[in-house]
Amino acid sequence: MTTENENENNKKIPKHLAIILDGNGRWAKKRHLPRLLGHRAGLRKLENMVRLVKREGIRYFSVYAFSTENWTRPKMEVDGLMSLFRFYIRHKVEEIKAEGARIRFCGRKNKIPEDLLEQMNWAEEYTKDQNILDFILCINYGGRAEIIDAVNKIIDSGQKNITEEDLRKNFYLPDVPDPDLIIRTSGELRLSNFWLWESAYSEYYFTDTYWPDFDEAELKKALEDYAGRDRRYGGLKK
Ligand code: IPE
Ligand code: IPE
Ligand code: MG
């Protein structure tokens, strides 16, 4: 399900770019600010990133914004994050739509406050005809949860033996191709339950920069690095 893409300069670009938005808390701490201000700065960064990613010719852009494990954080931080998501959706949908981007959410729908869920559904519906970029916000997403949810759907259907394709068809966003490149900011070298199944042949790029400081130059550096990678998928070098 992974396809190579090239831009007009024949440079290899990811069709699906995924970013693990990490380091908001440490960004705030460094400035003696509350963690939530770090999260606010992080969400702000996304606005511009959608534009930049689109300009690079990327077709799918997914971001890990809240994991199934992030509910274990203090209630104040979780509530604050949910409010920031509300604010972001309410105020940014128009701009994102104007960029030709379709907003999609990926993750479990339980636990998310009812009003936020309604807003998410509205934003998806409101932007569904945009087809330049799919901007995918992973909220209450966990790779293990996604696999388990897919397996349970298949069990409910009565099917006994499954193939990889059956599983894939039951994922949250079955039409979205696997991520070609996964960037993680803030110096952590792990996946933390993001795109677990889908990342089987993804390329990784790690940077020490905290997410709120990630900028165009950083993005270009990551894409440059990706363009030089040799992807073999277990086969022989072409
Ligand atoms: C990433 O920033 C955003 C979320 C996980 C919600 P963190 O909040 O994990 O920031 P650090 O890792 O503590 O710096
Ligand atoms: C991963 O970051 C989840 C998101 C960025 C949403 P975390 O900060 O939650 O991951 P760990 O705890 O460092 O692995
Ligand atoms: Mg973190």
Side-chain angles (χ1 to χ4, degrees):
M1 277 274 282
T2 317
T3 23
E4 292 288 19
N5 241 10
E6 283 183 352
N7 68 6
E8 64 277 12
N9 308 319
N10 293 334
K11 200 180 96 178
K12 206 163 60 168
I13 50 161
K15 184 169 189 178
H16 177 176
L17 168 69
I19 306 188
I20 300 172
L21 313 176
D22 201 12
N24 294 347
R26 278 162 286 165
W27 179 91
K29 191 170 178 210
K30 211 172 84 182
R31 289 165 177 74
H32 309 286
L33 295 170
R35 290 180 62 84
L36 273 174
L37 287 188
H39 293 312
R40 193 179 73 176
L43 274 181
R44 279 200 180 143
K45 199 87 228 182
L46 271 182
E47 302 162 33
N48 198 31
M49 207 44 69
V50 168
R51 241 185 319 273
L52 295 174
V53 159
K54 181 187 115 176
R55 214 193 288 157
E56 294 292 337
I58 288 160
R59 180 64 185 79
Y60 298 87
F61 176 38
S62 64
V63 296
Y64 201 13
F66 194 90
S67 74
T68 45
E69 287 73 44
N70 287 147
W71 298 106
T72 60
R73 294 191 179 193
K75 186 174 178 332
M76 200 178 89
E77 181 169 349
V78 170
D79 289 349
L81 273 162
M82 295 301 138
S83 290
L84 284 170
F85 293 146
R86 283 187 191 95
F87 183 87
Y88 182 78
I89 297 169
R90 191 172 319 126
H91 294 276
K92 297 299 158 196
V93 164
E94 209 61 62
E95 278 171 47
I96 292 168
K97 186 178 180 183
E99 288 291 331
R102 171 183 179 193
I103 299 184
R104 306 176 76 178
F105 293 93
C106 182
R108 264 195 184 151
K109 300 295 180 236
N110 70 337
K111 288 197 190 170
I112 297 175
E114 199 57 45
D115 66 314
L116 175 57
L117 208 52
E118 276 171 27
Q119 238 187 349
M120 286 159 61
N121 290 335
W122 167 79
E124 283 190 330
E125 180 63 27
Y126 185 63
T127 60
K128 71 175 189 315
D129 295 327
Q130 306 305 306
N131 55 13
I132 296 178
L133 175 74
D134 279 28
F135 175 42
I136 301 159
L137 279 146
C138 299
I139 295 179
N140 195 19
Y141 177 87
R144 289 181 176 180
E146 180 176 40
I147 294 168
I148 293 297
D149 289 351
V151 169
N152 279 323
K153 271 198 261 172
I154 297 169
I155 291 174
D156 286 348
S157 76
Q159 200 175 327
K160 297 256 173 345
N161 286 296
I162 63 168
T163 62
E164 286 192 11
E165 270 325 296
D166 292 328
L167 203 56
R168 196 182 277 286
K169 273 192 291 201
N170 285 284
F171 283 162
Y172 299 134
L173 304 176
D175 61 298
V176 174
D178 290 346
D180 299 290
L181 174 64
I182 299 181
I183 297 176
R184 182 165 187 155
T185 55
S186 88
E188 306 300 348
L189 309 179
R190 55 179 171 267
L191 204 50
S192 300
N193 207 6
F194 195 31
W195 293 137
L196 215 48
W197 174 279
E198 297 86 341
S199 62
Y201 274 98
S202 299
E203 297 294 325
Y204 292 87
Y205 182 88
F206 297 102
T207 167
D208 286 339
T209 305
Y210 295 144
W211 170 250
D213 288 329
F214 190 88
D215 59 10
E216 183 172 7
E218 286 268 4
L219 176 70
K220 284 201 181 301
K221 220 162 93 185
L223 294 177
E224 203 55 53
D225 198 281
Y226 172 82
R229 306 269 181 105
D230 180 22
R231 304 182 75 185
R232 291 189 289 278
Y233 304 99
L236 294 180
K237 201 167 164 25
K238 280 193 202 112

